[in-house]
């Protein structure tokens, strides 16, 4: 967004085919799951000028959906340009540009944009002024933006704003990263191996997250995502065949952490980082990721702690077994009710996590009901690791072939 003389200029870069196909992008992770996926795929294969014509024909609909308010009053939008690149790989989205503008009344001071949630996320940056505003819109009306600038985030504001973004990317949205962290957790009941693994993973993903965010490293998601899934399979399978941490595991975890950092960077790139507070925002996001990982480990520990202790003593505890069973078959299913009331996005994000809690609690119930040593390893850690490995293996196949 830029203010030049008596007009307010907007330039949107992104996947215009999804707009023209009228796909509802709110909460959608894969366009293949959309009802209009066939139309969307056909549009991606169109030559540039033909696709541009389709965008121009769609513009009246989009102009009616997107509202721009100047000093509280809506203004008329005018389509200025549509730039569509040549068809590359039709399996991948192509980045096109849509430029539109609005006339500004004399003395205009502030603007707002009302962005429909079904058009997906909008990262909006104010250009051509000092300390321009940066915004991340998932739908709805933006805050009031001064046309003269001066609303850039401070370092502390950016740091605080990006911590929740990092947490959210792990819990509840980062199911693959959650399974990887759980794979680290289930290796051993001792704290030291977990610290070594988490430290190696943290150091590695911090390095590549920073390098990718700064633009020094770029690896396509088609390469990164299958390897992330493969890393889940590796750590889980090793848990089954290893009784503890071997000397090379931290090095392998470090290598996988480098790839996970690239995955984090792709999410951060979609969210956008303010130029005025790049480093604080990056640090805040990374802190959020660490808090999310620690939350996963803390919840996993709370769920299995009784099973761990009884396994070391070789004792059974019917009360603990009953409590675990109550969590698995009563408490967790009841939690689905408030989650369902939060909407389909919440269901998609949280129900898999609740299922994992129920599964681990059920395994812990069985472990507490048996009187012998090492029940935790054989009845909790190993079955859980096998389950994690199977999910990771499915993701490898899905991300490579499907």
């Amino acid at each position: 967004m830029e203010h030049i003389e008596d007009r307010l200029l907007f330039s949107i870069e992104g996947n215009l085919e999804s707009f023209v196909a009228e796909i509802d992008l709110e909460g959608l992770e894969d366009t293949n799951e959309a009802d209009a996926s066939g139309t969307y795929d056909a549009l991606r294969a169109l030559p540039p000028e033909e696709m541009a014509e389709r965008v121009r024909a769609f513009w009246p609909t989009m102009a009616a959906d997107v509202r721009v308010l100047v000093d509280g009053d809506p203004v008329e939008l005018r389509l200025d340009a549509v730039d569509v690149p040549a068809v590359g790989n039709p399996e991948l989205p192509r980045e096109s540009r849509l430029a539109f503008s609005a006339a500004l009344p004399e003395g205009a001071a502030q603007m707002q944009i009302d962005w429909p949630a079904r058009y997906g996320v909008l990262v909006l940056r104010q250009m051509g002024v000092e300390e321009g505003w940066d915004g991340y819109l998932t739908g709805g009306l933006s805050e009031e933006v001064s046309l003269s600038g001066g609303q850039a985030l401070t370092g502390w504001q950016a740091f605080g704003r990006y911590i929740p973004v990092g947490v959210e990317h792990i819990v509840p949205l980062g199911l693959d990263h959650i399974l990887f962290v759980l794979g680290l957790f289930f290796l051993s009941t001792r704290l030291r191996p977990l610290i070594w693994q988490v430290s190696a993973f943290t150091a590695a993903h911090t390095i590549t997250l920073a390098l990718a965010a700064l633009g020094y490293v770029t690896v396509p998601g088609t390469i990164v995502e299958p390897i992330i899934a493969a890393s889940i399979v590796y750590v889980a399978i090793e848990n089954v065949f290893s009784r503890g941490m071997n000397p090379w595991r931290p090095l392998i975890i470090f290598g996988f952490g480098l790839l996970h950092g690239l995955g984090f960077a792709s999410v951060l790139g979609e969210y956008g980082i303010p130029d005025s507070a790049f480093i604080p925002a990056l640090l805040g996001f990374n802190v959020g990721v660490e808090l999310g990982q620690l939350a996963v480990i803390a919840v996993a520990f709370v769920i299995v702690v009784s099973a761990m202790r009884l396994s070391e003593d070789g004792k059974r505890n019917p009360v603990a077994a009953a409590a675990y069973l109550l969590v698995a078959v009563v408490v967790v299913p009841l939690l689905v009710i408030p989650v369902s009331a939060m909407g389909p996005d919440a269901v998609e994000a949280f129900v898999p996590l609740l299922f994992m809690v129920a599964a681990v609690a059920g395994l812990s119930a069985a472990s507490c009901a048996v009187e012998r040593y090492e029940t935790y390893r054989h009845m909790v850690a190993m079955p859980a690791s096998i389950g994690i490995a199977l999910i990771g293996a499915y993701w490898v196949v899905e991300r490579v072939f499907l």
Side-chain angles (χ1 to χ4, degrees), residues 92-109:
L92 300 175
R94 57 178 165 183
E95 291 291 311
S96 303
R97 187 179 75 91
L98 172 70
F100 62 92
S101 63
L104 289 174
E106 186 175 353

Side-chain angles (χ1 to χ4, degrees), residues 2 27 54 57 89-90 100 136 175 199 201 227 234 243 281 324 333 344 346:
E2 189 172 7
R54 297 290 292 270
N89 184 349
F100 62 92
Y136 179 83
L175 186 57
S199 298
F201 182 62
I227 299 179
Y234 176 85
R243 298 188 62 84
Y324 275 128

Side-chain angles (χ1 to χ4, degrees), residues 34-240:
D35 293 337
S37 60
T39 303
Y40 171 74
D41 292 339
L43 291 171
R44 286 195 298 185
L46 289 180
E49 187 51 42
E50 189 174 346
M51 180 59 205
E53 283 299 323
R54 297 290 292 270
V55 174
R56 295 186 189 100
F58 178 73
W59 169 250
T61 300
M62 186 173 182
D65 292 335
V66 178
R67 292 195 310 146
V68 174
L69 285 70
V70 176
D71 293 334
D73 297 321
V75 292
E76 184 178 353
L77 304 181
R78 183 187 74 188
L79 180 63
D80 294 328
V82 179
D83 296 321
V84 179
V87 177
N89 184 349
E91 298 297 321
L92 300 175
R94 57 178 165 183
E95 291 291 311
S96 303
R97 187 179 75 91
L98 172 70
F100 62 92
S101 63
L104 289 174
E106 186 175 353
Q110 296 178 326
M111 68 76 60
Q112 292 173 280
I113 183 168
D114 191 2
W115 183 255
R118 66 178 178 277
Y119 285 171
V121 171
L122 175 68
V123 178
L124 188 63
R125 290 180 176 172
Q126 186 180 18
M127 312 296 289
V129 295
E130 293 186 5
E131 298 185 355
W133 179 82
D134 285 273
Y136 179 83
L137 304 178
T138 56
L141 193 62
S142 72
E143 64 182 89
E144 293 183 338
V145 180
S146 171
L147 296 177
S148 60
Q151 289 181 267
L153 292 175
T154 66
W156 283 111
Q157 286 174 330
F159 180 79
R161 177 178 290 186
Y162 279 76
I163 289 176
V165 178
V167 173
E168 183 183 50
H169 181 55
I170 300 297
V171 181
L173 301 180
L175 186 57
D176 50 357
H177 300 298
I178 289 174
L179 291 182
F180 184 83
V181 172
L182 288 176
L184 305 183
F185 174 80
F186 283 123
L187 174 68
S188 172
T189 59
R190 294 186 298 120
L191 183 61
R192 186 175 178 181
L194 181 62
I195 291 176
W196 271 107
Q197 293 177 94
V198 171
S199 298
F201 182 62
T202 298
H205 76 62
T206 299
I207 292 171
T208 47
L209 173 60
L211 291 176
L214 290 168
Y216 293 122
V217 177
T218 302
V219 180
T222 51
I223 296 176
V224 172
E225 294 303 321
I227 299 179
I228 287 177
S231 72
I232 296 169
V233 177
Y234 176 85
V235 296
I237 290 298
E238 190 176 32
N239 291 349
V240 176

Side-chain angles (χ1 to χ4, degrees), residues 236-268:
I237 290 298
E238 190 176 32
N239 291 349
V240 176
F241 293 101
S242 175
R243 298 188 62 84
M245 189 173 68
N246 53 52
W248 60 81
R249 176 141 168 154
L251 296 176
I252 294 174
I253 298 302
F254 183 87
F256 285 141
L258 295 174
L259 293 163
H260 280 254
L262 296 174
F264 295 147
S266 66
V267 172
L268 190 56

